[in-house]
Amino acid sequence: MNPSILVNPTYPVYEPGTLWQRIVDRSQSALASGALESIATTYEIVNQAGIPFLVRVLANLDRKTAAKKEQDRKTARSGVAFNPFLPYEPELYVADLSSTHVCLLNKFNVVDHHILLITREFEEQDAALTLPDFAAASQVLAELDGLIFYNGGALAGASQRHKHLQWVPSRMLENGPGLPIASAIEAAQAIDGMVTVSTLPFIHYIAKFDSFNSSEVMSQIYLEGYLRCLNAMGGSAREAASSHDGHHLLPRAYNLLLTRHWMMLIPRSQDSFEGIAVNSLGFAGALLVRNPEQLQHLKTVTPLTLLTAVGYAA
Ligand code: AMP
């Protein structure tokens, strides 16, 4: 797919191969203007079952929480749910990915160069992912190796109702290692047709991909892998997804991790455990806590017990 054919002509044309530079340039200008409000953290590595969990600790005021309160105030004042993506802040705009998806900077980023892939028109975050969603995801992965993730519903950590996939670099620390969970997944073998990681105590469904092909081919392969995972999750999820129109709500919240080589879907039972909230990044091995006390508590609870408590025990 050539993105320049599909762009809204009122936006600058997005040249394939320039996405990374656009993210870097936009980050610089949005930081300078104050539109990008990066969240400062410190971090610690907590090892468990061979997984080096990266645990970030908020360094000061949680701007995202403050922004959520402001968003709730705006909603209460206007009586209409405030949607930060419709319209989006022009200073955070990165590129038009397709006729259906726009790429923005995440306004309250913890990881540098964190981007959002939002639908141009309103779609529910609880709706099943569609071929155009996977086309946008594979277009980004074709240019930038890294992690696409999706918080499927409020229980899975989504704070916005407007559909948004997200991308972060695999190296979440400058010059650091790749995704903490990656080697466990890459080493996992299929048993009875399903790939599972025996050291992960929570229910998860994995689809592996032999090689990364063109984004056109990958979007279809990703959709098929997603439908297989939904089928394994059950609860008529696959039927809801098969309508392909982006409006069928899934019966269960889940997190989705997607790379060039694999995807993992994790059904969710609750959004947090003992005050520690978890989204998709937690299942990639990157957790976020509010303060040093919560870090201590997490070490006592242990990351895998936390992840199992917010998912389902395998
Ligand atoms: P989630 O919380 O997983 O639903 O992801 C939504 C993301 O949108 C959050 O990580 C926020 O930081 C981000 N966000 C909130 N408001 C804006 C905004 N006005 N523009 C861009 N990103 C935003």
Side-chain angles (χ1 to χ4, degrees):
M1 188 189 331
N2 178 351
S4 59
I5 296 169
L6 298 170
V7 292
N8 177 331
T10 59
Y11 294 98
V13 171
Y14 156 55
E15 289 294 335
T18 62
L19 190 57
W20 177 247
Q21 199 52 49
R22 295 179 75 101
I23 295 169
V24 170
D25 292 348
R26 194 49 114 180
S27 300
Q28 240 169 33
S29 63
L31 262 182
S33 73
L36 182 59
E37 301 188 32
S38 300
I39 297 174
T41 56
T42 57
Y43 73 90
E44 217 173 278
I45 305 295
V46 177
N47 286 293
Q48 188 180 15
I51 303 165
F53 283 93
L54 167 64
V55 185
R56 293 185 190 268
V57 186
L58 291 175
N60 43 43
L61 174 75
D62 180 357
R63 293 208 192 121
K64 198 171 151 185
T65 306
K68 181 83 178 84
K69 284 193 182 135
E70 175 58 20
Q71 181 168 330
D72 292 345
R73 269 198 294 275
K74 281 185 188 162
T75 298
R77 263 203 306 273
S78 67
V80 180
F82 176 74
N83 181 350
F85 305 147
L86 201 62
Y88 56 78
E89 289 183 31
E91 290 154 294
L92 299 173
Y93 167 83
V94 174
D96 284 87
L97 293 172
S98 65
S99 60
T100 52
H101 287 72
V102 179
C103 176
L104 302 182
L105 294 180
N106 182 327
K107 184 173 179 66
F108 306 105
N109 66 313
V110 167
V111 178
D112 283 346
H113 307 121
H114 182 163
I115 55 172
L116 306 177
L117 288 57
I118 64 164
T119 52
R120 204 179 287 283
E121 309 281 335
F122 180 81
E123 285 181 34
E124 289 282 358
Q125 187 75 1
D126 288 343
L129 291 171
T130 60
L131 189 61
D133 292 323
F134 285 109
S138 50
Q139 197 178 318
V140 169
L141 286 177
E143 290 204 29
L144 309 173
D145 201 0
L147 175 72
I148 292 272
F149 65 93
Y150 189 71
N151 298 326
L155 277 192
S159 62
Q160 304 298 333
R161 271 184 57 192
H162 184 126
K163 195 188 246 181
H164 54 286
L165 292 119
Q166 313 192 39
W167 176 92
V168 286
S170 307
R171 290 181 202 288
M172 289 188 241
L173 293 174
E174 212 175 321
N175 302 320
L179 290 183
I181 200 75
S183 41
I185 294 181
E186 277 150 21
Q189 300 291 330
I191 300 170
D192 295 334
M194 272 320 284
V195 181
T196 45
V197 181
S198 56
T199 47
L200 297 182
F202 50 83
I203 290 184
H204 59 277
Y205 307 104
I206 294 172
K208 286 201 175 186
F209 314 111
D210 292 337
S211 57
F212 189 87
N213 216 300
S214 66
S215 58
E216 291 88 336
V217 172
M218 286 316 291
S219 40
Q220 190 62 45
I221 290 176
Y222 283 151
L223 179 64
E224 284 161 16
Y226 172 69
L227 291 175
R228 276 203 308 280
C229 290
L230 286 183
N231 202 29
M233 180 165 85
S236 58
R238 191 189 171 106
E239 291 72 27
S242 303
S243 61
H244 296 307
D245 66 1
H247 295 292
H248 277 72
L249 305 191
L250 288 182
R252 188 172 292 163
Y254 64 94
N255 290 111
L256 182 72
L257 308 179
L258 180 65
T259 71
R260 287 183 180 173
H261 305 293
W262 49 263
M263 74 167 51
M264 177 160 77
L265 186 146
I266 306 103
R268 291 291 298 269
S269 58
Q270 52 181 344
D271 64 351
S272 59
F273 178 66
E274 297 189 356
I276 306 175
V278 176
N279 71 11
S280 296
L281 288 177
F283 291 95
L287 293 155
L288 179 69
V289 294
R290 278 203 293 271
N291 49 44
E293 293 71 40
Q294 242 189 13
L295 172 63
Q296 284 316 314
H297 188 55
L298 171 61
K299 286 182 182 169
T300 308
V301 169
T302 78
L304 288 174
T305 300
L306 168 69
L307 295 177
T308 307
V310 297
Y312 292 90

